[in-house]
């Protein structure tokens, strides 16, 4: 039986609780992956203390040297890609092709951010006074608590930890309890790349650990990805201490299919956007709005293709869609299928749990499509985080955009059309953080900002150079070399 420890101050250590929790394969609950530390607030405090001590030296390591370490980490991620992907599929279920993509995202992010070691540009501006120099520089915030979800268990830690490090912060990572192995693998890469003890710490466990981190006086910034409900708690916990808080939360993303769309392409996009990662993405295309002129043709093909998807163990190369991550997630999906039926939507395909034969040991569900969905229905409003797509009709672009915007979330949206005017109008009018033309709502690249509006986020963006704004703050610096007191706004020279 493998037992995995926390990583604090460069050492693998057991929790003070003496307790562990199990990590099991969602495709086969008989497959016990290992035991992980069920940590306490004390463990979290020890990790914060280590990170605080390490910050004193880490902030002074020249940023290009921090970047050089991260270039090594990127190479190690690339070397270990296959092993990390296999571990990830085994612990959270998505198919191997996608877990390879998840690791690739971390590789890309790490190479990109390593380069920021030589940039992190500030501004130099002319002073309004003579013999005075004015500029702005980025400075780190101190200890960063990174709280990460199970659906992208290597990629999302990289979105947070890597930019935090290049900016000179130290980190305590608390991964979702469903994917601690990927977090262990992630931290090992950084350790092997030469990141010094205490600079990156890992504490596994439940909500107690999260609360300890988000309320700790020595944590300067919290970066969280997860549900909007938990994000609100994180925000509330962090508010009394005036911590900087970056939140990346739910989505109810829409694909609009216009009457002039390439239908085959739109169907492919909806399949990938709706059922990739078993629908467990914050960017998942869980809503599709189709022009009434092509609705029947679209639906026929979409349903045919969805029902043909092979559902199974993500490690099997034949599998196209893996299990749900946990029994609780499966139950949520089943509950929403019931809700959709009760609300009067048409169950076009799917709708059932798969639990016979090889499926009996895991948390499998059919790819499910509801048609004739009304925009106000719960299945069209609430994030399900599973393989359930709600399809609605529209009569015009304006109506489609209104439906698209009429949800509490605002992460990603897309339009399929061959009309450039429709594409630009939709791009301008859909109030989301990400927008696609003739592509599904998923597939963000690491060098552009990632995040959303409304209940999806709190105004920050990760990835791209926008991440530097999350993980650093500005210091404006004035150097007066006149040798006399010069008073800004007072000693104005007559022109
Ligand atoms: C998420 O859904 O939590 O754009 C992240 C995408 C991926 C990241 C998704 N690159 O779908």
């Amino acid at each position: 039986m493998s037992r995995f420890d926390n990583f604090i101050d460069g050492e693998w250590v057991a929790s003070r609780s003496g307790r562990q929790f199990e990590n099991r394969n969602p495709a086969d609950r008989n497959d016990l992956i290992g035991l992980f530390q069920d940590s306490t607030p004390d463990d979290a405090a020890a990790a914060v203390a280590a990170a605080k001590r390490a910050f004193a030296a880490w902030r002074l390591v020249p940023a290009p040297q921090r970047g050089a370490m991260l270039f090594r980490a990127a190479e190690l991620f690339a070397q270990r890609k296959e092993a990390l992907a296999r571990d990830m599929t085994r612990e959270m279920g998505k198919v191997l092709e996608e877990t390879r993509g998840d690791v690739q995202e971390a590789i890309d992010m790490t190479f990109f951010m390593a380069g920021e070691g030589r940039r992190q540009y500030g501004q130099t501006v002319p002073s309004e006074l003579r013999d005075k120099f004015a500029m702005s520089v980025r400075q780190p915030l101190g200890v960063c608590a990174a709280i990460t979800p199970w659906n992208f268990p290597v990629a999302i830690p990289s979105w947070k930890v890597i930019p935090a490090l290049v900016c000179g912060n130290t980190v305590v990572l608390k991964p979702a309890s469903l994917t601690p192995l990927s977090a262990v693998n992630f931290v090992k890469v950084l350790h092997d790349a030469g990141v010094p003890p205490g600079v990156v710490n890992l504490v596994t466990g439940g909500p107690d650990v999260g609360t300890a981190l988000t309320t700790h006086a020595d944590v300067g910034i919290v970066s969280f990805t997860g549900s909007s409900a938990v994000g609100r708690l994180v925000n509330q916990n962090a508010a009394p201490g005036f911590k900087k808080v970056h939140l990346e939360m739910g989505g109810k993303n829409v694909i609009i299919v216009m009457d002039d769309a390439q239908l085959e392409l739109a169907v492919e996009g909806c399949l990938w956007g709706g059922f990739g990662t078993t629908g467990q993405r914050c960017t998942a295309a869980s809503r599709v709005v189709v022009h009434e002129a092509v609705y029947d043709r679209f639906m026929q093909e979409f349903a045919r293709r969805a029902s043909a998807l092979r559902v199974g163990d993500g490690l099997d190369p034949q599998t196209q869609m893996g299990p749900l991550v946990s029994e609780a997630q499966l139950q949520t999906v089943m509950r929403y299928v019931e809700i959709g039926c009760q609300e009067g939507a048409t169950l076009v395909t799917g709708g059932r749990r798969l639990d016979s034969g090889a499926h009996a040991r895991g948390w499998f569900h059919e790819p499910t499509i509801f048609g004739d969905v009304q925009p106000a229905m719960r299945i069209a409003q609430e994030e399900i985080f599973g393989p359930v797509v709600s399809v609605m009709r529209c009569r015009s672009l304006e109506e489609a955009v209104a439906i698209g915007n009429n949800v509490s979330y605002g992460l990603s949206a897309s339009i399929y059309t061959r009309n450039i005017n429709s594409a630009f109008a939709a791009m301008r009018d859909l109030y989301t953080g990400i927008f696609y033309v003739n592509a599904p709502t998923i597939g963000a690249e690491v060098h552009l900002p990632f995040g959303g509006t409304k209940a999806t986020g709190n105004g920050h963006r990760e990835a791209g150079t926008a991440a530097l704004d999350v993980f650093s703050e500005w210091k404006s610096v004035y150097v007066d070399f006149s040798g006399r007191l010069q008073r800004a706004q007072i000693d104005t020279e007559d022109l």
Side-chain angles (χ1 to χ4, degrees):
M1 168 54 47
S2 312
R3 204 194 78 176
F4 296 87
D5 287 340
N6 289 331
F7 188 65
I8 299 177
D9 216 2
E11 306 281 342
W12 295 96
V13 291
S15 165
R16 295 171 190 191
S17 72
R19 291 190 310 269
Q20 288 122 35
F21 64 89
E22 290 185 345
N23 180 15
R24 287 180 183 271
N25 181 342
D28 177 0
R29 74 185 87 125
N30 296 333
D31 177 18
L32 178 58
I33 293 163
L35 295 176
F36 291 80
Q37 298 305 310
D38 187 6
S39 307
T40 64
D42 280 353
D43 298 318
V48 172
K52 189 183 176 188
R53 284 193 301 274
F55 177 65
W58 183 247
R59 74 183 184 90
L60 299 178
V61 174
Q65 281 188 33
R66 295 197 295 258
M69 251 173 243
L70 296 177
F71 276 121
R72 283 204 296 276
E75 275 159 17
L76 289 175
F77 279 127
Q79 278 167 24
R80 298 178 193 177
K81 179 173 174 178
E82 190 62 18
L84 264 63
R86 284 183 179 273
D87 278 353
M88 196 192 306
T89 295
R90 190 173 160 217
E91 80 172 341
M92 60 70 70
K94 65 185 174 184
V95 298
L96 204 44
E97 195 181 27
E98 291 187 37
T99 52
R100 287 185 188 124
D102 192 308
V103 181
Q104 187 60 45
E105 204 159 327
I107 296 167
D108 296 342
M109 178 61 82
T110 308
F111 274 121
F112 175 77
M113 280 298 161
E116 289 305 314
R118 287 191 183 270
R119 287 183 290 264
Q120 299 185 40
Y121 297 125
Q123 296 171 305
T124 56
V125 294
S127 167
E128 65 195 36
L129 293 164
R130 288 172 193 269
D131 301 327
K132 190 176 171 194
F133 188 86
M135 64 182 170
S136 63
V137 296
R138 291 186 183 275
Q139 59 186 341
L141 292 126
V143 177
C144 168
I147 303 179
T148 55
W150 45 261
N151 67 335
F152 279 80
V154 170
I156 293 182
S158 82
W159 295 6
K160 301 184 187 311
V161 175
I162 305 297
L165 294 182
V166 84
C167 289
N169 306 279
T170 56
V171 179
V172 179
L173 171 63
K174 185 228 168 288
S177 300
L178 291 164
T179 50
L181 179 57
S182 291
V184 165
N185 289 340
F186 178 83
V187 165
K188 277 186 181 160
V189 164
L190 292 174
H191 179 59
D192 294 347
V195 173
V199 171
V200 175
N201 306 274
L202 169 73
V203 184
T204 58
D208 278 8
V209 176
T211 305
L213 293 174
T214 53
T215 53
H216 198 295
D218 290 333
V219 168
I221 168 162
V222 179
S223 179
F224 166 85
T225 298
S227 70
S228 298
V230 176
R232 181 176 288 117
L233 288 177
V234 166
N235 215 3
Q236 286 167 344
N237 282 341
F242 307 114
K243 298 184 198 320
K244 189 167 184 182
V245 180
H246 159 251
L247 302 171
E248 167 54 34
M249 303 173 285
K252 193 71 183 174
N253 313 290
V254 69
I255 292 180
I256 294 171
V257 181
M258 294 306 292
D259 51 352
D260 57 12
Q262 266 179 278
L263 269 198
E264 184 55 30
L265 188 67
V267 166
E268 295 232 358
C270 292
L271 286 166
W272 175 228
F275 302 116
T277 321
T278 320
Q280 301 169 117
R281 291 195 189 217
C282 43
T283 52
S286 52
R287 298 185 296 153
V288 180
V289 176
V290 187
H291 194 281
E292 60 181 1
V294 292
Y295 182 93
D296 290 340
R297 264 199 301 148
F298 169 86
M299 191 58 115
Q300 203 179 1
E301 191 57 11
F302 187 31
R304 188 183 71 75
R305 296 278 303 272
S307 60
L309 289 174
R310 288 184 300 272
V311 180
D313 185 339
L315 288 171
D316 177 347
Q318 296 303 311
T319 297
Q320 291 171 300
M321 191 180 95
L324 276 304
V325 74
S326 66
E327 183 175 15
Q329 204 63 32
L330 175 65
Q331 297 295 342
T332 302
V333 168
M334 289 166 64
R335 204 169 60 244
Y336 272 106
V337 169
E338 224 176 282
I339 290 168
C341 293
Q342 279 163 10
E343 287 180 307
T346 307
L347 185 58
V348 177
T349 185
R352 282 171 314 183
R353 176 179 182 179
L354 294 165
D355 57 3
S356 59
H359 291 135
R361 297 195 304 273
W363 315 122
F364 295 97
H365 195 277
E366 291 176 325
T368 298
I369 300 173
F370 278 108
D372 305 313
V373 174
Q374 297 302 315
M377 289 179 179
R378 287 182 61 191
I379 56 167
Q381 290 289 327
E382 297 172 21
E383 184 176 51
I384 300 173
F385 230 62
V388 182
V389 178
S390 298
V391 186
M392 291 163 268
R393 287 170 211 266
C394 71
R395 279 157 303 194
S396 65
L397 178 63
E398 291 67 32
E399 192 189 359
V401 168
I403 294 170
N405 279 332
N406 187 27
V407 288
S408 54
Y409 301 107
L411 182 54
S412 181
S414 118
I415 188 168
Y416 281 83
T417 181
R418 278 180 280 200
N419 182 327
I420 193 166
N421 297 351
S422 306
F424 269 82
M427 183 266 284
R428 181 193 59 199
D429 294 339
L430 278 153
Y431 183 53
T432 55
I434 306 173
F435 187 75
Y436 292 90
V437 177
N438 292 329
T441 54
I442 70 177
E445 302 177 27
V446 302
H447 45 305
L448 279 183
F450 182 96
T453 62
K454 301 191 279 187
T456 297
N458 62 340
H460 296 289
R461 294 289 183 270
E462 55 194 329
T465 49
L468 303 177
D469 294 329
V470 170
F471 295 102
S472 67
E473 59 189 338
W474 289 111
K475 178 185 282 173
S476 296
V477 181
Y478 301 94
V479 181
D480 192 317
F481 54 98
S482 69
R484 60 186 187 278
L485 175 66
Q486 298 197 89
R487 299 171 302 170
Q489 294 93 36
I490 310 287
D491 298 330
T492 54
E493 288 186 40
D494 290 335
L495 294 173

